[in-house]
Amino acid sequence: MIIPYHTCRMIRLTLENGVCQDAICGLIQHAAFLCQPWFAVPADVEEACRVGKAAMTLFERFDSSEIIPEVFYCYYGFVAVNKEPLQLCTDHLRKGFEVGVSAGDATIACYNSIHLIRTALLGGEELSSLLKEADYHLEVLTSFRIKLSMPYINAYRETISTLIDKGQSTSPQTTESKTVIPSYEAEPNASNTVYAQRHNETLYSNKVLQS
């Protein structure tokens, strides 16, 4: 796996040469990786939260606004949700999305979007407002042609719609939303297979919420 190797390499260079802006991303990526649900254990999550908190302190000292989308996506999407209030995480993910869109960094913006909608839903945000925000995000992703992230947000949107009125007046078929959700079969490759598996897991968790 290239990402863990890349992260560990960044941390080693930091230890050898000192802290820089890229070191912040490396430390937070390391913390986020430790929090991945398929192998995380409580001790690793505790360590990840300490590392992430220290990295965010460095982030504030460097005042590196250009890396806000990446830093907020990794920290508030994977790490802070284990310790911090979900509303706080939602607010920062929303800022990460907005800064990413404004900067034209559509890929990182869409990662913020996925975690934002999920965290806002789990944090108890007002459903009608969240539904409108999900529709807006889908429109933005459509304009940027970011296909792989759209099924995740669509799954959360379906859950929000179900919780509001079982989709009677809030489903895409009964609203003005005209967003087309692409299928994975349209662009088959190894990367899409991984995303498809994660999407299936997202669908399953949303079905649990809907029940």
Side-chain angles (χ1 to χ4, degrees), residues 92-188:
H92 283 84
L93 289 165
R94 185 173 285 117
K95 182 176 181 180
F97 172 78
E98 293 171 351
V99 172
V101 170
S102 298
D105 192 349
T107 300
I108 298 298
C110 79
Y111 294 156
N112 278 276
S113 174
I114 295 171
H115 289 279
L116 160 60
I117 301 300
R118 181 200 65 187
T119 305
L121 175 61
L122 296 177
E125 192 157 309
E126 202 277 320
L127 292 176
S128 296
S129 299
L130 187 56
L131 183 71
K132 293 178 181 179
E133 186 167 20
D135 283 337
Y136 168 68
H137 285 209
L138 286 169
E139 291 176 5
V140 171
L141 295 178
T142 300
S143 66
F144 280 109
R145 298 182 180 180
I146 304 295
K147 296 182 179 180
L148 288 178
S149 300
M150 292 172 65
Y152 295 93
I153 300 176
N154 189 59
Y156 291 122
R157 189 206 183 282
E158 180 183 340
T159 297
I160 297 167
S161 174
T162 301
L163 293 174
I164 292 175
D165 61 0
K166 297 184 179 180
Q168 293 181 3
S169 62
T170 55
S171 67
Q173 291 76 18
T174 58
T175 63
E176 296 180 356
S177 177
K178 297 180 181 179
T179 303
V180 177
I181 307 302
S183 64
Y184 288 104
E185 289 77 9
E187 299 180 20

Side-chain angles (χ1 to χ4, degrees), residues 62-80:
F62 273 84
D63 190 26
S64 305
S65 58
E66 65 270 20
I67 61 173
I68 282 178
E70 181 177 358
V71 168
F72 281 14
Y73 146 65
C74 283
Y75 181 69
Y76 292 102
F78 291 104
V79 184

Side-chain angles (χ1 to χ4, degrees), residues 46-90:
E46 289 291 335
E47 177 188 347
C49 290
R50 289 195 296 269
V51 172
K53 198 77 171 179
M56 291 303 293
T57 300
L58 292 173
F59 170 75
E60 294 171 0
R61 292 181 181 178
F62 273 84
D63 190 26
S64 305
S65 58
E66 65 270 20
I67 61 173
I68 282 178
E70 181 177 358
V71 168
F72 281 14
Y73 146 65
C74 283
Y75 181 69
Y76 292 102
F78 291 104
V79 184
V81 289
N82 295 287
K83 289 289 186 179
E84 304 289 348
L86 292 179
Q87 291 83 357
L88 175 69
C89 297
T90 298

